[in-house]
Amino acid sequence: MAIDIEKMRQKLLGMKGQKKNSDIQLWKPGVGEYRVRIVPWKDITDGNFAHEIHFYYLEGQRGFPAPVQFGKSDPVDELRRSLYALKTDDDRKMANSLRPKMRSYSAVIVRGEEDKGVQVWSYGKMVYDRLLSFIVDPEVGDITDVDNGWDLKVTISEVKGKTFNDTVVDVARKQSALTKDEAQKEKWLDTPNIWVLYPQKSYQEAKDVLDNFLNPKSPEAEGVSRGKSSSDELEKLVSEMQAPKTAKKETTEVKKAASKAEESDLDKAFAELEADDEE
């Protein structure tokens, strides 16, 4: 059988961060030094230079944006609140394991790779904090200014004994324009729609992912280790939440905990518990 060259080409593009049927290309730098320029997102109106997306990463499942961040009903968030309402250390531990994690995404032009157009750079909290520190520095300011902003020097280095590479970011010594070509600038400022890569899930779709996490159906999923207590206890709690009125004692405890205070008080307590866990 002859090799399907086009299929192999699409596979290669996917490995390099380019998505089929998408105008978005992820920038995935390896070890080395780079110079990049952050381009303002056209769909962000509050002046932020990054999309902040909170993801659920349920072991054995593909990560997805948490619906609650968009003001939508969220089955994972509902489960976390029920766990917090039980107020035991084990329940809080399980709730924390379901906490969404934030990733930040900036549109960038990589110097020397301008022919690729706008790429999307994904990074974590430490890099995000570093970028924010540049912006609030009176000697730097708006690093995304297309006429008088700043390029960034990004250094990726491998550290022995660490799973992930280290990323160090500094600003260039001099301010500069994004580009002197007006036509090129307009093209780059037409940033892609990141939600093509990370579409929002409906309540049922999110629930299906949660159910598959709690009750893996495939041999591959069942082979993923989540720890005995996490898997068994979460599954037990979900079953009790969905059980009829003749359910066990724990079901009554969940309902009582939810009815002891008004919804606003429960929201406040939930936020305080999360704040305590972050310290």
Side-chain angles (χ1 to χ4, degrees), residues 236 239-240 243-254:
K236 178 181 177 182
S239 298
E240 290 167 352
K245 294 182 179 179
T246 57
K248 298 179 182 179
K249 179 180 178 181
E250 288 83 357
T251 305
T252 304
E253 291 177 349
V254 172

Side-chain angles (χ1 to χ4, degrees), residues 134-166:
F134 296 146
I135 292 175
V136 300
D137 186 337
E139 295 184 359
V140 181
D142 185 1
I143 56 178
T144 70
D145 188 310
V146 296
D147 297 316
N148 202 32
W150 302 79
D151 282 3
L152 301 172
K153 296 183 292 183
V154 180
T155 304
I156 311 292
S157 58
E158 186 176 359
V159 180
K160 188 176 181 179
K162 292 185 66 174
T163 304
F164 300 100
N165 294 332
D166 274 3

Side-chain angles (χ1 to χ4, degrees), residues 138-206:
E139 295 184 359
V140 181
D142 185 1
I143 56 178
T144 70
D145 188 310
V146 296
D147 297 316
N148 202 32
W150 302 79
D151 282 3
L152 301 172
K153 296 183 292 183
V154 180
T155 304
I156 311 292
S157 58
E158 186 176 359
V159 180
K160 188 176 181 179
K162 292 185 66 174
T163 304
F164 300 100
N165 294 332
D166 274 3
T167 302
V168 176
V169 183
D170 288 302
V171 291
R173 294 184 179 182
K174 295 181 180 181
Q175 293 169 274
S176 63
L178 171 63
T179 177
K180 294 181 179 180
D181 186 328
E182 287 298 317
Q184 184 69 81
K185 180 172 69 174
E186 291 303 314
K187 183 177 181 180
W188 286 347
L189 288 176
D190 186 21
T191 51
N193 178 10
I194 193 172
W195 300 111
V196 171
L197 283 182
Y198 307 109
Q200 299 179 30
K201 288 189 179 297
S202 67
Y203 184 92
Q204 187 58 52
E205 288 172 334

Side-chain angles (χ1 to χ4, degrees), residues 3-268:
I3 294 177
D4 187 331
I5 301 299
E6 180 58 28
K7 182 178 291 186
M8 295 302 101
R9 180 180 289 109
Q10 293 299 335
K11 184 183 290 291
L12 178 60
L13 292 176
M15 293 173 64
K16 291 183 176 181
Q18 295 170 285
K19 301 294 183 177
K20 186 178 181 181
N21 299 326
S22 171
D23 60 348
I24 295 181
Q25 179 172 267
L26 294 176
W27 182 51
K28 295 185 177 181
V31 173
E33 297 181 357
Y34 304 87
R35 192 169 179 132
V36 306
R37 181 63 165 264
I38 292 181
V39 180
W41 286 107
K42 69 177 181 180
D43 61 341
I44 293 184
T45 58
D46 62 2
N48 200 344
F49 59 90
H51 275 291
E52 302 172 7
I53 308 179
H54 292 77
F55 289 89
Y56 287 129
Y57 295 104
L58 309 182
E59 293 186 45
Q61 311 299 312
R62 185 174 182 178
F64 65 95
V68 69
Q69 70 188 301
F70 307 114
K72 296 183 176 181
S73 298
D74 185 332
V76 182
D77 184 67
E78 292 170 1
L79 177 56
R80 294 187 66 233
R81 287 174 178 272
S82 297
L83 287 165
Y84 269 118
L86 295 176
K87 297 181 179 180
T88 69
D89 290 341
D90 286 345
D91 293 320
R92 183 184 295 188
K93 183 177 180 181
M94 285 190 285
N96 281 340
S97 71
L98 298 174
R99 183 198 298 270
K101 297 176 176 59
M102 189 183 83
R103 293 290 296 178
S104 300
Y105 295 82
S106 287
V108 297
I109 291 296
V110 181
R111 300 303 188 189
E113 300 181 11
E114 286 89 348
D115 59 309
K116 295 183 179 180
V118 174
Q119 302 183 63
V120 177
W121 180 23
S122 170
Y123 47 86
K125 183 178 184 301
M126 292 185 65
V127 171
Y128 192 29
D129 289 347
R130 180 66 169 164
L131 297 177
L132 288 172
S133 72
F134 296 146
I135 292 175
V136 300
D137 186 337
E139 295 184 359
V140 181
D142 185 1
I143 56 178
T144 70
D145 188 310
V146 296
D147 297 316
N148 202 32
W150 302 79
D151 282 3
L152 301 172
K153 296 183 292 183
V154 180
T155 304
I156 311 292
S157 58
E158 186 176 359
V159 180
K160 188 176 181 179
K162 292 185 66 174
T163 304
F164 300 100
N165 294 332
D166 274 3
T167 302
V168 176
V169 183
D170 288 302
V171 291
R173 294 184 179 182
K174 295 181 180 181
Q175 293 169 274
S176 63
L178 171 63
T179 177
K180 294 181 179 180
D181 186 328
E182 287 298 317
Q184 184 69 81
K185 180 172 69 174
E186 291 303 314
K187 183 177 181 180
W188 286 347
L189 288 176
D190 186 21
T191 51
N193 178 10
I194 193 172
W195 300 111
V196 171
L197 283 182
Y198 307 109
Q200 299 179 30
K201 288 189 179 297
S202 67
Y203 184 92
Q204 187 58 52
E205 288 172 334
K207 187 176 182 300
D208 289 343
V209 176
L210 178 61
D211 289 344
N212 197 43
F213 164 68
L214 298 171
N215 304 286
K217 298 179 176 60
S218 67
E220 293 80 4
E222 290 177 353
V224 177
S225 175
R226 293 195 301 268
K228 180 179 180 181
S229 61
S230 175
S231 174
D232 295 346
E233 292 301 320
L234 281 172
E235 182 177 346
K236 178 181 177 182
L237 179 62
V238 171
S239 298
E240 290 167 352
M241 290 173 64
Q242 298 174 343
K245 294 182 179 179
T246 57
K248 298 179 182 179
K249 179 180 178 181
E250 288 83 357
T251 305
T252 304
E253 291 177 349
V254 172
K255 293 179 180 179
K256 286 183 177 179
S259 63
K260 283 182 180 179
E262 295 294 332
E263 184 177 351
S264 59
D265 292 333
L266 181 58
D267 289 342
K268 181 179 179 181

